[in-house]
Amino acid sequence: MKTANLVLTFTCVVSFTGTHAKTGYFWHITDFHYDPLYTSQGDTRRHCRRADERGSSGHHRAVGRYGDYSCDSSLDLIESAARYMRTRHSENVEFVLWTGDIIAARYNANEDDRYQAIRNMTDLLSRTFSSHFVFPVLGHLDPAPSESLTNLWMHWLPLEALQTFKYGGYYTIEQKQSKLRIVALNTNLFSMRESNSPQTRSQWLWLNTTLDKATENKEMVYIVGHAAPGSDSRHGYDSASNANYLRTIRRHARIIAGQFFGHLHADTFRVIYDNDRPVSWALLAPSVSPHRDPSGSSNPGLRLYKFDTNTGKVLDYTQYYLDLATANRNVGAAEWTAEYNLTQYYGLHEVSPISLHNLADKLRIGTPYETTMFNKYLRAYNARHDSSDACDGACAHQHFCAITCLEHLAYRQCVEAAASALAAAGKSSPLVAPLMNTLVILFIVVMFV
Ligand SMILES: *[C@@H]1O[C@H](CO)[C@@H](O)[C@H](O)[C@H]1NC(C)=O
Ligand SMILES: *[C@@H]1O[C@H](CO)[C@@H](O)[C@H](O)[C@H]1NC(C)=O
Ligand SMILES: *[C@@H]1O[C@H](CO)[C@@H](O)[C@H](O)[C@H]1NC(C)=O
């Protein structure tokens, strides 16, 4: 009896403060790609694992304790991320979104070893967020839903969620104090390979029903998944699933307060349109892993969202990152720091479909202002890692197409239209040409004024 009373008092206090605290926070962390075989004695040609005696020719460069831009994550890197998040704990952290790809692709050990690695990551997050719920979703590198996976995460999910998770890897969570509903998708079921599975059909039906019910109950919804819709990713949605997903989002756009994905190992965003009107957005968080498959790299990132707990409206986020090269040079601990805040960095008044549409529009290379904006975007895209591969005009336009054209066909047309326009504009470097034209015009104007 005594315990029951205590619990009751406790819940009353919590819900009381809950209605008053309007601003809350949640973490979005993604794509750990934990590689248990990573070693700082490793060889970059062998994914930073130990070279065997025969293979080591002795001229590979040293890899760092916290990881390498060409490899998946070391345990030290992930532990440093967890430590940093603990220090950032404001009282108002409400939950954590963990969007999959927990274990490195190349850690193709047996199932038991992979399971143990996932359990270790789960334990780490349980210790880091001992008084919070972590909401995990499955990435394409994660195992299919199972009894053991469900047991591993049962301390984070209510019973009803565990049931659908065990069957299909999807679930929904009601945030009681805020009329906010989290809809966690298994985006693996949107791939070609799964398109005819009963789990895929169930997830679609369930998604329809869940969103209809949320509308009835006047709830706002966060959609959470590993891979975002659109054309620009491997292991993405097949065309039918992609179209179906976008149709679903358009139909329920009024109650969808945000979509959150990982997978690309890049910091970017997507705008969804309904007859040319921006109606919804998706934000893609950068990975903890510094390596981007099949090639490319970025600094490790962690994201803390700020939202209105009463309405679910996303107010901002702070992007944190680790300068990996510096961390490896320093003898001491890795120093994670704030990289930027969304609204301040891009000068947005709010986080909304229209504001992100306007931002996308400013990323079209043309004027010097747009070039500046695009370079800003590109710096964030790689979490400030200076990528050696330059992004020319065609590349910049592909970014614009990926952000604004999520339908597969529209994306292809967008990219092709740009390619032919660039070809028509001449043979000079695509990024430099429009910039040079503007500069020449400016120069002439200055000369003659
Ligand atoms: C998991 O953690 C245990 C205990 O620290 C350790 O012995 C084991 O090697 C770890 N396994 C993996 C795959 O990380
Ligand atoms: C979801 O609902 C829409 C509109 O009611 C319907 O057109 C669609 O077929 C439904 N999808 C499934 C898989 O039930
Ligand atoms: C970014 O946002 C965080 C969290 O709201 C805040 O503490 C910090 O002061 C902001 N930084 C800047 C530069 O606006």
Side-chain angles (χ1 to χ4, degrees):
M1 273 315 263
K2 240 186 204 149
T3 0
N5 277 340
L6 254 178
V7 168
L8 203 63
T9 323
F10 181 64
T11 13
C12 289
V13 171
V14 166
S15 43
F16 178 73
T17 51
T19 49
H20 281 255
K22 284 198 63 157
T23 302
Y25 296 85
F26 64 89
W27 286 103
H28 180 189
I29 53 181
T30 194
D31 296 84
F32 282 8
H33 285 241
Y34 166 45
D35 188 349
L37 298 179
Y38 183 99
T39 159
S40 53
Q41 285 91 52
D43 185 337
T44 50
R45 292 162 308 181
R46 300 177 55 88
H47 319 302
C48 299
R49 283 120 179 235
R50 218 173 282 281
D52 55 32
E53 302 302 331
R54 272 176 304 120
S56 63
S57 48
H59 66 276
H60 67 273
R61 64 190 159 82
V63 306
R65 170 179 169 198
Y66 292 107
D68 189 271
Y69 289 113
S70 60
C71 299
D72 275 324
S73 300
S74 67
L75 184 59
D76 281 332
L77 171 61
I78 298 169
E79 284 180 340
S80 80
R83 259 197 312 276
Y84 185 70
M85 287 191 285
R86 223 174 299 150
T87 68
R88 295 274 91 195
H89 256 193
S90 70
E91 234 118 270
N92 296 332
V93 169
E94 307 270 328
F95 53 84
V96 180
L97 306 179
W98 186 22
T99 53
D101 278 8
I102 301 165
I103 306 302
R106 295 184 192 85
Y107 184 61
N108 41 15
N110 65 42
E111 216 176 300
D112 281 352
D113 286 349
R114 288 185 74 82
Y115 178 77
Q116 192 191 53
I118 292 176
R119 195 179 56 207
N120 284 5
M121 293 297 103
T122 299
D123 289 348
L124 179 64
L125 289 184
S126 300
R127 286 196 304 275
T128 305
F129 300 105
S130 53
S131 55
H132 296 96
F133 291 103
V134 177
F135 301 134
V137 302
L138 299 172
H140 63 280
L141 298 178
D142 301 317
S146 65
E147 182 86 40
S148 46
L149 207 52
T150 309
N151 289 342
L152 200 56
W153 293 337
M154 63 187 289
H155 58 301
W156 287 329
L157 303 178
L159 191 61
E160 199 186 333
L162 288 170
Q163 280 162 357
T164 53
F165 179 82
K166 190 160 100 187
Y167 175 69
Y170 53 85
Y171 59 87
T172 178
I173 304 269
E174 186 189 352
Q175 290 292 106
K176 290 238 167 49
Q177 291 138 5
S178 53
K179 283 264 169 193
L180 176 64
R181 177 170 290 285
I182 291 167
V183 172
L185 296 174
N186 179 0
T187 58
N188 297 336
L189 296 176
F190 297 152
S191 70
M192 185 68 88
R193 200 159 41 90
E194 295 285 345
S195 55
N196 288 319
S197 80
Q199 280 86 350
T200 303
R201 267 197 306 282
S202 299
Q203 180 170 248
W204 283 122
L205 276 172
W206 167 88
L207 181 59
N208 255 3
T209 319
T210 305
L211 293 175
D212 283 345
K213 268 199 243 160
T215 306
E216 252 169 60
N217 297 340
K218 300 193 166 44
E219 294 167 333
M220 293 304 280
V221 171
Y222 285 174
I223 294 193
V224 185
H226 177 68
S231 305
D232 60 326
S233 94
R234 309 189 309 146
H235 310 285
Y237 301 14
D238 66 59
S239 280
S241 297
N242 192 61
N244 211 2
Y245 181 84
L246 295 173
R247 240 190 337 268
T248 307
I249 296 300
R250 285 188 194 109
R251 194 164 59 242
H252 294 280
R254 266 175 351 107
I255 61 159
I256 294 170
Q259 300 168 68
F260 307 89
F261 299 102
H263 178 61
L264 277 192
H265 297 211
D267 179 338
T268 183
F269 63 102
R270 302 287 179 259
V271 182
I272 293 168
Y273 297 84
D274 193 354
N275 291 318
D276 293 336
R277 199 167 52 88
V279 292
S280 194
W281 54 256
L283 291 172
L284 282 64
S287 53
V288 170
S289 170
H291 177 57
R292 184 182 303 140
D293 229 12
S295 67
S297 43
S298 64
N299 280 312
L302 301 166
R303 183 173 286 184
L304 185 65
Y305 277 93
K306 179 176 169 185
F307 74 116
D308 180 324
T309 58
N310 290 340
T311 62
K313 187 176 169 51
V314 168
L315 303 172
D316 207 352
Y317 66 68
T318 303
Q319 182 60 47
Y320 298 96
Y321 83 114
L322 177 70
D323 184 328
L324 191 59
T326 308
N328 283 330
R329 273 197 303 273
N330 291 349
V331 192
E335 284 182 34
W336 289 79
T337 47
E339 182 191 347
Y340 73 94
N341 286 351
L342 176 64
T343 54
Q344 189 221 10
Y345 189 67
Y346 290 119
L348 310 180
H349 296 298
E350 58 166 4
V351 184
S352 67
I354 185 78
S355 71
L356 290 169
H357 158 81
N358 289 336
L359 172 60
D361 222 38
K362 291 184 192 129
L363 301 179
R364 313 175 84 143
I365 298 286
T367 67
Y369 171 71
E370 287 163 347
T371 305
T372 307
M373 283 302 276
F374 181 76
N375 287 336
K376 229 174 153 156
Y377 161 80
L378 203 59
R379 203 158 62 235
Y381 187 85
N382 293 319
R384 288 201 194 169
H385 176 55
D386 285 325
S387 168
S388 49
D389 9 305
C391 188
D392 62 7
C395 155
H397 195 82
Q398 266 179 34
H399 277 274
F400 174 75
C401 297
I403 293 166
T404 57
C405 300
L406 275 73
E407 302 277 3
H408 287 182
L409 181 62
Y411 174 77
R412 275 198 300 279
Q413 287 169 342
C414 178
V415 170
E416 277 158 23
S420 48
L422 288 168
K427 298 228 164 11
S428 53
S429 163
L431 175 58
V432 176
L435 184 60
M436 282 308 284
N437 288 344
T438 319
L439 287 178
V440 167
I441 291 165
L442 273 176
F443 183 63
I444 292 169
V445 169
V446 169
M447 287 287 288
F448 287 84
V449 166

